[in-house]
Amino acid sequence: FFFQAEDGIRDKLVTGVQTCALPIFRRRASLAIPGTSIPGLHGRGLRFEVHPVPLGHSRVYVHTGREFNLASWLAGLKAGRSFVTTGPMLFATVNGKLPGEQLNREPSGAGELVLEVESVSMRPGVRVEILVNGRVYESVVPDLVQTREGAWRGGLQRRIPVHESLWVAVRSVETQPDGRRRFAHTAPWFCSVGGRPVTPRREQVEYFCALMEDELHRNRPLLEPVALEEFAQALKFNRGLLAVAK
């Protein structure tokens, strides 16, 4: 899945995309690229002139299993067993599986997916959104109980019918007293029906085509041809998706 990155990507062996909080709400969701699975990252650097927030304000949490070391953390991150957050904690499974799992189905028995979600936040104003193929499938204000530590905990379970290949993700939004929002967002689960890829959404393919065109125009006086070629390749790739988008 892809959120507009906070920093440019120059490494051809990209294993994740750093996310920025604002574009997540501007774009509502993400573009599913057929044949790809890129986990989301989140980190707070020292670029206070860009986003003046404290170090550690945004984080990525990874399920490592029994072992907690660098190797297991990186393996869990690469597999997508993670969520990014600027505040709330968000735990979820689909059919008992952690985020990043591939849940294959045959066309004759697509059935449904069972989603279980647990949200923990500092304040009670929390909304949980279920995303299916980049659209908000359902928005829920869960019943919350306050823990002994003062946090607010709530959960929900939903059944999602499967009629075509899809991906599912969950996000929670915690509204602050000043109106600002903190969020958490899981990596996606992927469900392939009959081995077919997820069909990308035309509106989002067109968005990324326009974005690459703008980047080429803006950077042509500034960047070397080898750097501009990256934008050109991305534009060509996204234009190719228009043939299968809907």
Side-chain angles (χ1 to χ4, degrees):
F1 67 116
F2 186 91
F3 298 131
Q4 185 171 335
E6 188 173 6
D7 299 299
I9 299 171
R10 293 291 177 264
D11 188 350
K12 294 184 181 298
L13 300 177
V14 175
T15 57
V17 176
Q18 184 177 359
T19 64
C20 176
L22 289 179
I24 288 177
F25 292 104
R26 289 174 184 163
R27 295 304 309 155
R28 291 296 294 175
S30 58
L31 170 67
I33 301 176
T36 64
S37 174
I38 303 177
L41 308 179
H42 215 325
R44 176 75 270 131
L46 295 175
R47 297 176 60 195
F48 291 105
E49 76 282 3
V50 179
H51 298 294
V53 295
L55 187 67
H57 174 75
S58 51
R59 303 181 180 187
V60 55
Y61 286 89
V62 177
H63 294 269
T64 63
R66 294 181 178 274
E67 298 290 334
F68 180 60
N69 52 48
L70 179 60
S72 62
W73 191 90
L74 290 173
L77 180 66
K78 186 176 181 179
R81 297 191 295 269
S82 61
F83 66 91
V84 296
T85 181
T86 60
M89 302 296 286
L90 184 61
F91 310 99
T93 61
V94 170
N95 291 3
K97 304 293 185 180
L98 294 171
E101 286 286 337
Q102 180 76 45
L103 305 167
N104 297 323
R105 295 288 188 276
E106 293 300 323
S108 59
E112 61 184 14
L113 302 176
V114 180
L115 171 68
E116 295 183 278
V117 180
E118 181 183 19
S119 172
V120 183
S121 58
M122 290 182 61
R123 292 181 173 84
V126 172
R127 183 177 75 256
V128 174
E129 295 182 335
I130 303 168
L131 306 177
V132 177
N133 283 354
R135 291 186 171 90
V136 177
Y137 175 79
E138 186 176 358
S139 181
V140 183
V141 178
D143 294 329
L144 302 176
V145 296
Q146 193 167 23
T147 68
R148 290 188 302 174
E149 295 79 11
W152 294 88
R153 183 188 302 272
L156 61 92
Q157 182 185 90
R158 290 294 186 273
R159 295 181 179 273
I160 302 171
V162 177
H163 305 296
E164 61 180 349
S165 297
L166 55 81
W167 61 263
V168 178
V170 183
R171 67 184 174 205
S172 63
V173 184
E174 178 186 341
T175 303
Q176 305 299 298
D178 61 2
R180 299 186 64 169
R181 293 173 291 184
R182 293 186 177 182
F183 76 95
H185 201 304
T186 70
W189 295 259
F190 300 93
C191 182
S192 174
V193 177
R196 293 188 293 271
V198 174
T199 302
R201 291 169 53 192
R202 175 167 291 275
E203 65 184 281
Q204 293 189 335
V205 176
E206 291 174 345
Y207 166 78
F208 284 111
C209 284
L211 181 64
M212 291 302 100
E213 289 170 351
D214 290 344
E215 290 297 318
L216 279 167
H217 177 75
R218 181 173 67 88
N219 288 292
R220 192 164 280 116
L222 306 173
L223 298 180
E224 296 293 328
V226 65
L228 290 172
E229 180 60 22
E230 296 181 10
F231 293 110
Q233 290 177 5
L235 177 58
K236 180 180 179 180
F237 176 83
N238 281 284
R239 282 176 174 170
L241 290 180
L242 287 172
V244 297
K246 68 176 182 181

